Amino acid sequence: MLTASCHCSSVKISVPRKPRTLTNCNCSMCRRYGVLWAYYKDSEVQLDAPDGAVDRYDWGRKSQDFIRCKTCGCVMQ
Ligand SMILES: [Zn+2]
């Protein structure tokens, strides 16, 4: 099990294992975030956050939304 948290520790995320691959997406959002993405089944990801602690951002075709901590702004999913 791997766990991580946002900068202020309000939001935590857990996955069952290390990712098999990482994706360096070059879309307009991911270039700005500067992240490498690991992909898991929805059922494998546990996001723990108090009510109202996260917000979602999506745009364009609404095919992907980014879940961010409202306090520190870290992208968590
Ligand atoms: Zn935070």
Side-chain angles (χ1 to χ4, degrees):
M1 172 89 61
L2 293 175
T3 61
S5 69
C6 65
H7 190 258
C8 73
S9 299
S10 293
V11 183
K12 295 174 178 55
I13 191 168
S14 301
V15 293
R17 57 177 161 66
K18 290 180 183 177
R20 293 186 177 104
T21 60
L22 294 172
T23 298
N24 183 9
C25 178
N26 67 354
C27 80
S28 59
M29 283 301 295
C30 293
R31 284 196 315 264
R32 286 168 173 84
Y33 285 142
V35 297
L36 295 174
W37 295 106
Y39 293 95
Y40 296 89
K41 295 176 184 172
D42 284 347
S43 61
E44 296 179 313
V45 179
Q46 177 75 41
L47 186 73
D48 295 314
D51 287 344
V54 297
D55 67 4
R56 293 172 185 265
Y57 177 75
D58 60 17
W59 86 104
R61 291 180 288 162
K62 312 283 187 198
S63 61
Q64 172 75 42
D65 48 327
F66 297 90
I67 298 175
R68 305 176 299 198
C69 173
K70 280 185 176 177
T71 301
C72 67
C74 284
V75 176
M76 297 301 293
Q77 188 174 6

